[in-house]
Amino acid sequence: MKVTVDEMVCEANAVCMGLAPEVFDVDDDDQLHILLPEPPPDMLDRVRHAVRSCPKAALSLEE
């Protein structure tokens, strides 16, 4: 699986970072960075939850 972000939609609310900080990071310039674009299987439930919880629906998960 691969996580992607639509940077034109993302507002860097950091909800995803709060749910899966090993995968998502928001820097000081309010830019979201995906630290693990292909997270390991043991993180997938949390990553799915983070993707679903994005208030702007800026994240997607390609299976």
Side-chain angles (χ1 to χ4, degrees), residues 12-61:
N13 292 305
V15 172
C16 56
M17 188 173 86
L19 295 170
E22 306 88 352
V23 177
F24 304 100
D25 182 58
V26 175
D27 66 19
D28 292 337
D29 295 323
D30 287 334
Q31 292 291 316
L32 176 67
H33 300 278
I34 299 176
L35 304 174
L36 292 173
E38 296 183 23
D42 63 326
M43 290 185 179
L44 291 181
D45 286 341
R46 288 189 312 146
V47 171
R48 283 187 186 104
H49 181 61
V51 168
R52 285 191 308 267
S53 298
C54 178
K56 298 303 288 182
L59 298 171
S60 59
L61 190 58

Side-chain angles (χ1 to χ4, degrees), residues 4-15:
T4 58
V5 60
D6 183 339
E7 294 179 8
M8 299 300 292
V9 177
C10 180
E11 290 183 344
N13 292 305
V15 172

